[in-house]
Amino acid sequence: MASDSGYMERPVVSTDPNGDQSPQLSAQWDRIRTRLHSEVGDGEYRSWLRHMTLAGLDGDEITVQLPNRFHRDWVREHYGARISALWQAENAAVRRVDIRVGTPVAAAGGTDGLIVSPALLRTKAAAKIESKAEERPRPEEREAAGLDQRFTFEGFVVGKPNEFAYACARRVAEQPASTGFNPLFLYGGVGLGKTHLMHAIAWELTGCGQPARPSSVAYMSAEKFMYRFIAAIRSQSTMEFKEQLRSVDVLMIDDLQFLIGKDNTQEEFFHTFNALVDAGKQIVVSADKSPSDLSGLEDRLRTRLGCGMVADLHATTFELRISILEAKAARSGVPVPHKVMEFLAHKITTNVRELEGALNRLIAHANLFGRPVTLDATQEVLHDILKAHDRRVTIDEIQRKVVEHYNLRLTDMSSARRARAVARPRQVAMFLAKQLTSRSLPEIGRKFGNRDHTTVMHAVTRVGELMERDAGFAEDVELLRRMLES
Ligand code: ADP
Ligand code: MG
């Protein structure tokens, strides 16, 4: 490593709310680079990896910078997974590594800020409450900060539940402020892609690859909007704040529900909103509920929010979750068996962020230990996540799952039919009921059309035998068990 010391810039931009880059982080980073160096060899390291600098740790995400797109793409593609794995091994707090274009800047104030793009789109800190010292409104907030490359339209998997919202977002990105689409109001539950779509719009509008004059876009969470506003009042610079906001082409406010009960900020937002719409500028807002359900928001604001296009991101379906997993797994380059994806899509149903997090962890693990992703490994690696999604299994649930899996009707579970196609799944359900619940054999028998406890016992033995003999069958039962397990 000594030969590289000249290139080992100290990380200088810290997004850590505590201020400077911690020495631990630097030490970890040094170890990771040494390790990479020895793994890839001198030539490869000098060509690509020595250009990396550490930007900082933000929440659970490490940001690594490279001087240009070319280097970034190369490093991301060839070493991204490895770097993630090494980080996760070094530092338990790290869940993700973001590799982006950026150069170390000697900026003391951090990169937090109001986004007045093109070059600038600061989104990460928006979710966070910064210390008061950082809240000084600075008129010249034009530090360079990258767009989050993951949150593009291309990276968004479209399915029935989100196709409408996606189409609306696309439309706004193509023709901001067109009639009928202003404001665009995106709403839906946590982790369904609201922020992703907003970034995608910003990404598109700030002119990647478009020769036309890029629009200036301001994106911030409602929370950030409030802190900015309060800080402006405190430092008697509300005029500047207003002017800054009213000078943009597109204003995006994420998680508007945060403004409920914050009357003064709401009022300010309302005026900004009106000023921008009157000037023919585009507004994009997201919230967890539709405008009419956002009780606690002033009526006149709710009314205006509902005046443009209101698009709902519905809960994901199993199919969409599978598509998302497929897309993300394909990008990682690590083969993920379909059974594993099915398992994850069954287990983690409400939040795409968690689904993604689970997959990333599997991939990081596979990369780190050079082992393939299997159902077993999945259960081991994701033990804690899966546990959080677990609930007590009932015989009814077991029957429903089994019936769904074998394409039968629920009545088949209690019917007297003895045809193999019905009897075998019924036995599987009894076996699972014995394994996964604390019900006694007679109790289980009763749930299956008042069968005798000896019938249940026979089913349990028979399924056990079959599993030993028939690997395909065993895998099926295993999958069902894992899906149901508590
Ligand atoms: P929200 O803002 O609605 O809470 P986010 O936009 O932050 O949710 O999405 C959470 C995570 O899930 C992000 O990493 C995002 O990229 C991912 N995600 C959500 N929906 C999709 C989708 N349809 N395709 C790809 N990724 C998605
Ligand atoms: Mg969000």
Side-chain angles (χ1 to χ4, degrees), residues 314-330:
H314 296 274
T316 56
T317 56
F318 179 73
E319 288 73 23
L320 179 59
R321 291 195 293 280
I322 290 284
S323 306
I324 290 173
L325 288 170
E326 278 170 351
K328 306 217 177 220

Side-chain angles (χ1 to χ4, degrees), residues 361-422:
R361 205 148 116 196
L362 282 183
I363 289 167
H365 216 263
N367 276 321
L368 187 60
F369 296 106
R371 279 200 306 234
V373 176
T374 61
L375 214 47
D376 272 334
T378 302
Q379 209 156 41
E380 202 183 299
V381 174
L382 301 181
H383 181 74
D384 51 340
I385 300 181
L386 295 173
K387 210 162 140 198
H389 287 267
D390 276 343
R391 54 223 150 81
R392 287 195 67 78
V393 185
T394 63
I395 294 182
D396 288 335
E397 275 175 273
I398 293 172
Q399 292 185 335
R400 272 201 299 277
K401 263 282 175 292
V402 169
V403 157
E404 189 186 308
H405 185 77
Y406 290 99
N407 228 337
L408 301 172
R409 283 166 313 191
L410 207 50
T411 49
D412 292 327
M413 289 290 110
S414 44
S415 78
R417 287 179 62 200
R418 283 157 171 264
R420 167 84 65 87
V422 176

Side-chain angles (χ1 to χ4, degrees), residues 43-234:
E44 189 79 2
Y45 187 85
R46 291 191 145 273
S47 307
W48 304 107
L49 296 172
R50 72 165 193 217
H51 302 288
M52 296 188 297
T53 50
L54 181 65
L57 176 66
D58 185 6
D60 61 0
E61 185 174 81
I62 279 282
T63 301
V64 170
Q65 294 177 327
L66 282 143
N68 53 49
R69 275 185 172 218
F70 183 59
H71 274 83
R72 177 203 67 195
D73 292 347
W74 181 278
V75 168
R76 195 188 279 163
E77 187 178 331
H78 293 85
Y79 307 107
R82 186 64 189 149
I83 294 170
S84 289
L86 287 169
W87 262 115
Q88 288 174 4
E90 272 286 346
N91 187 331
V94 176
R95 302 285 281 262
R96 288 173 301 161
V97 176
D98 185 19
I99 299 173
R100 58 165 68 182
V101 176
T103 42
V105 252
T111 52
D112 144 54
L114 179 68
I115 301 100
V116 186
S117 285
L120 169 66
L121 197 94
R122 177 69 192 152
T123 54
K124 296 274 167 54
K128 210 169 57 189
I129 303 172
E130 281 90 353
S131 68
K132 284 172 189 142
E134 280 182 288
E135 284 303 327
R136 275 169 292 134
R138 284 163 293 156
E140 283 308 312
E141 301 234 27
R142 288 174 189 269
E143 316 95 301
L147 268 162
D148 193 323
Q149 297 94 340
R150 291 165 309 170
F151 291 1
T152 59
F153 283 123
E154 291 69 38
F156 193 79
V157 180
V158 186
K160 269 256 167 315
N162 60 25
E163 62 187 5
F164 183 65
Y166 173 83
C168 293
R170 270 265 184 213
R171 166 68 191 251
V172 164
E174 275 155 27
Q175 285 178 299
S178 57
T179 322
F181 288 84
N182 198 15
L184 172 62
F185 190 99
L186 298 169
Y187 76 96
V190 177
L192 297 182
K194 301 182 293 292
T195 300
H196 188 136
L197 284 179
M198 291 175 102
H199 286 207
I201 295 173
W203 179 241
E204 203 75 10
L205 283 171
T206 46
C208 23
Q210 287 163 6
R213 186 187 80 86
S215 312
S216 95
V217 177
Y219 163 94
M220 79 193 85
S221 66
E223 190 179 8
K224 171 64 106 194
F225 180 87
M226 185 183 90
Y227 284 106
R228 289 263 148 210
F229 177 53
I230 291 173
I233 294 174
R234 207 185 292 130

Side-chain angles (χ1 to χ4, degrees), residues 183 185 256 269 273 285 291 297 301-308 310:
F185 190 99
L256 192 82
F269 174 66
F273 180 104
V285 166
L297 223 51
L301 178 55
R302 277 199 293 155
T303 311
R304 290 220 71 174
L305 285 171
C307 273
V310 178

